[in-house]
Amino acid sequence: MKKHSARVAPLSSYSAQVLTCPISEGEEGSDSHAETPVSETSGEATACQTCANTVLKVLGGLLLVLCVSSSWVGTTQVVQLTFKSFSCPFFITWFSTNWNILFFPLYYSGHVATTREKQTPIQKFRECSRLFGEDGMSLKVFLKRTAPFSILWTLTNYLYLLALRKLTATDVSALYCCHKAFVFLLSWIVLKDRFMGVRIVAAIMAITGIVMMAYADGFHGDSFMGVALAVGSASTSALYKVLFKMFLGSANLGEAAHFFSTMGFFNLIFISCVPLILYFTRVEHWGSLSSLPWGYLCGVAGLWLVFNILVNVGVVLTYPILISIGTLLSVPGNAAIDVLKHEVIFSVVRLAATCIICLGFLLLLLPEEWDTVTLRFLTTLADKKTEEHGEELTESSVHTRSRSRANGAVSIPLA
């Protein structure tokens, strides 16, 4: 019997079911009175359980928001600390991407600890490899499916680190938030997704913020180059996500862990030659291996891995919109550190550009049916107010009649 891999659904999609048995007409009376309190109790217990699950999911989501934001802020800040003694962005990117290999082993450890049905690592690996097709993983599929995504992944992170050498962490994290607008534009053009006017407005706001950020110090020098690098990073990130949706579709947590580990292996096997080429051409030259800041390098790689794990786990366990908000909160988090620790003074133009980009990001989080839902809510609210007003008029008229009768007034009907 062929086993199908089920997608992991959010916790809210699982609801308790109450089974009731019909009572025959001859058994009405004492039996029915005995069964009613039980059904009422079970219904109350189900409602309490659903409410408790919702509260736990929201609280867990808020905790994940803080963890996602903190891990991304920590990654960005530790990268800038690393650049003070080791300014080799491609080596940092390559070293950090290799840590993605640990994603699947960590997922399998959690799977063994939380499930009763135990599978061997090979069995679980083959099950999760169905993301690449029914035939699973092969060398041809490995090269065909993993290579483009691994290259886009490396390019995204490399451009992000290059931008951090030119701009503050706040500016780079704000500009990177534009990837949400680029995803919408590419999805609309390539995947023929639904057109939404509010998202077009958000995309225009993102582009406006980019132009303002570039204009802050004039269209020249390191500032303009940093803006271009950050926008390039956001663009390759958007292309990565749209191509993933186009060719691989959606993935559950196990398949995502498999995919990240596969990209880590591809990076270790095929991209390891690039840091060596940069080393011998002295584009990125360093001394002996013992002189490298391994503490900072491991800190960057570890925080990056934690961020990716939290994003994928959070999408499964809680609401995806909360994970996006966690990424957005990295902007004020980096701003607080830049102001308090690095004593950065932001110009009015930069602050306005950052706020415009963040506002556009929030508009992009609106669901597709937001306008219909809003109109339905306003209509329901208006109908409720009308009903309440009608009930108040009825009650006042009844009260007036009772008062008139109490005062001796007699109502004479018309002929």
Side-chain angles (χ1 to χ4, degrees), residues 90-364:
F90 194 90
F91 181 87
I92 296 174
T93 302
W94 171 82
F95 181 77
S96 300
T97 305
N98 288 336
W99 282 49
N100 285 343
I101 297 174
L102 300 175
F103 203 146
F104 186 80
L106 291 173
Y107 162 76
Y108 180 75
S109 300
H111 167 75
V112 170
T114 56
T115 57
R116 295 180 180 179
E117 297 180 2
K118 308 299 181 184
Q119 291 179 299
T120 64
I122 300 298
Q123 290 175 335
K124 195 63 182 175
F125 188 84
R126 288 176 178 173
E127 178 184 333
C128 295
S129 65
R130 291 177 183 174
L131 174 68
F132 298 96
E134 290 297 329
D135 297 332
M137 179 65 70
S138 63
L139 180 60
K140 180 180 179 181
V141 173
F142 174 74
L143 295 175
K144 182 180 178 180
R145 295 295 189 185
T146 309
F149 292 107
S150 182
I151 292 172
L152 285 174
W153 175 275
T154 301
L155 189 59
T156 297
N157 296 331
Y158 179 55
L159 292 175
Y160 188 86
L161 298 190
L162 285 177
L164 285 174
R165 293 203 302 184
K166 307 289 186 180
L167 300 174
T168 63
T170 305
D171 294 341
V172 177
S173 57
L175 289 167
Y176 183 74
C177 286
C178 294
H179 77 276
K180 199 81 174 175
F182 299 154
V183 167
F184 163 69
L185 293 175
L186 286 174
S187 299
W188 178 41
I189 296 171
V190 178
L191 302 180
K192 307 300 180 183
D193 280 2
R194 178 187 172 188
F195 173 83
M196 290 183 62
V198 67
R199 293 186 178 178
I200 289 292
V201 173
I204 294 173
M205 293 176 68
I207 296 172
T208 303
I210 292 171
V211 174
M212 291 177 64
M213 194 77 73
Y215 174 75
D217 295 329
F219 294 97
H220 61 275
D222 290 345
S223 178
F224 180 76
M225 183 60 66
V227 172
L229 291 170
V231 173
S233 177
S235 302
T236 51
S237 175
L239 183 60
Y240 168 92
K241 294 180 179 181
V242 172
L243 290 179
F244 188 95
K245 184 178 180 181
M246 179 186 295
F247 293 109
L248 300 179
S250 60
N252 58 32
L253 182 57
E255 291 170 345
H258 178 284
F259 184 74
F260 272 88
S261 294
T262 304
M263 283 202 305
F265 274 112
F266 184 91
N267 181 78
L268 182 63
I269 296 171
F270 294 100
I271 304 185
S272 296
C273 59
V274 179
L276 294 176
I277 294 173
L278 296 177
Y279 173 79
F280 287 113
T281 56
R282 294 190 173 274
V283 175
E284 289 189 1
H285 188 75
W286 61 89
S288 61
L289 293 177
S290 60
S291 64
L292 296 180
W294 290 110
Y296 285 138
L297 291 175
C298 292
V300 172
L303 286 170
W304 225 324
L305 178 63
V306 168
F307 172 77
N308 291 320
I309 291 176
L310 288 174
V311 168
N312 287 277
V313 171
V315 168
V316 174
L317 296 182
T318 184
Y319 304 99
I321 190 174
L322 294 179
I323 306 303
S324 299
I325 292 175
T327 306
L328 180 64
L329 289 179
S330 65
V331 178
N334 281 314
I337 295 177
D338 286 342
V339 171
L340 297 177
K341 185 177 180 181
H342 304 296
E343 298 181 353
V344 176
I345 300 176
F346 296 102
S347 64
V348 176
V349 177
R350 287 187 180 276
L351 285 176
T354 302
C355 292
I356 290 174
I357 292 174
C358 292
L359 183 58
F361 187 93
L362 290 175
L363 290 178
L364 288 165

